[in-house]
Amino acid sequence: MYNYFQVHLSYRVKLKNILSNDSSSGFTLPEILVVGLIIGVLSGIVLPSWLAFIEIRKLNAAQDKVYFAMRQAQSQASKDKLSQQVSFREQNGVVQWAIHQAETGVFIPNYVINNQNLWQSLAPSIHIDQDLNIKHKSEMTLPKQTIQNQQVWRIVFNYQGCPVYQIGDECSSTSLQTLGQLTIYSDQGGKARRCVYISTILGAMRKGKENSVANENDKYCY
């Protein structure tokens, strides 16, 4: 019995001394350097993936905003029995959109173009896919014009909520040019793209994402 308590007491004393020494001595310089190296390596691996993940989230959020803007204009047109439109542009590198009443003979009214308060912005890293790239041509296929030295796009909904090419068109006379899509990407998110497109003359809309194989319309975002 005596030997047991003596050994047990000796073990507790040694353990206390070890813990006391470790807590007071801290880390040595080589240990600190090794830990710093490990943290640096892990940061180099994890940080780019994390940043890409954040950009994809921004891209998805931008897609949702575009989709709901189109839905809002469509709903407003049906409610008010007046043609409504969603206009898009890139102002100083930032994608913006505005929902407003459509006017006959005017692609986008001047009061809309010149009133910054009517425009809402997407994240600065989000851009409209309008340039040629290795895999495909531009997939921004909404009707467009150049106004005040900048390209602008629009989608018009008539009083029934149908997408139309010209104000006053009925659903049955909707031009196939109206059945286009808006495609966006992040300049920090790699090759990922997101799109919103009008798929039927009655105004059905869908959200899509980049695919490795083109569809029957030679589009990769669907």
Side-chain angles (χ1 to χ4, degrees), residues 65-84:
K65 290 180 180 179
V66 169
Y67 177 82
F68 286 118
M70 289 184 178
R71 281 295 189 194
Q72 182 179 343
Q74 184 183 46
S75 175
Q76 195 68 36
S78 298
K79 178 181 178 181
D80 296 342
K81 300 302 178 184
L82 293 171
S83 295
Q84 296 283 332

Side-chain angles (χ1 to χ4, degrees), residues 18-199:
I18 291 173
L19 294 176
S20 177
N21 290 337
D22 286 346
S23 61
S24 61
S25 61
F27 292 104
T28 64
L29 180 58
E31 290 173 333
I32 294 175
L33 293 176
V34 169
V35 171
L37 179 61
I38 293 174
I39 293 174
V41 171
L42 291 176
S43 298
I45 297 174
V46 175
L47 186 58
S49 298
W50 173 251
L51 293 177
F53 172 76
I54 294 298
E55 286 304 316
I56 293 299
R57 288 181 62 88
K58 290 181 182 179
L59 189 58
N60 290 338
Q63 181 188 38
D64 288 340
K65 290 180 180 179
V66 169
Y67 177 82
F68 286 118
M70 289 184 178
R71 281 295 189 194
Q72 182 179 343
Q74 184 183 46
S75 175
Q76 195 68 36
S78 298
K79 178 181 178 181
D80 296 342
K81 300 302 178 184
L82 293 171
S83 295
Q84 296 283 332
Q85 78 180 60
V86 188
S87 300
F88 298 93
R89 69 182 183 184
E90 278 206 31
Q91 181 82 342
N92 299 321
V94 177
V95 177
Q96 297 182 323
W97 83 93
I99 302 172
H100 55 90
Q101 186 173 334
E103 292 187 8
T104 304
V106 180
F107 194 79
I108 299 179
N110 285 332
Y111 81 88
V112 175
I113 287 288
N114 297 321
N115 188 348
Q116 183 60 38
N117 293 329
L118 295 178
W119 296 85
Q120 300 187 59
S121 301
L122 300 181
S125 59
I126 305 300
H127 302 285
I128 291 174
D129 179 21
Q130 54 181 309
D131 299 320
L132 297 177
N133 56 51
I134 296 175
K135 189 163 62 173
H136 57 73
K137 297 181 179 180
S138 168
E139 294 194 1
M140 176 62 164
T141 59
L142 296 182
K144 68 177 179 180
Q145 282 191 9
T146 300
I147 300 178
Q148 298 182 7
N149 297 319
Q150 67 176 344
Q151 284 193 331
V152 292
W153 299 262
R154 77 174 187 183
I155 178 69
V156 178
F157 298 95
N158 68 5
Y159 68 99
Q160 294 175 298
C162 297
V164 293
Y165 193 71
Q166 297 292 343
I167 298 171
D169 287 349
E170 297 292 332
C171 295
S172 58
S173 61
T174 294
S175 170
L176 292 178
Q177 292 174 284
T178 306
L179 304 182
Q181 71 184 57
L182 180 149
T183 303
I184 53 178
Y185 69 95
S186 169
D187 59 12
Q188 301 175 22
K191 298 179 180 180
R193 279 169 169 72
R194 297 292 184 269
C195 51
V196 178
Y197 55 96
I198 314 282
S199 57

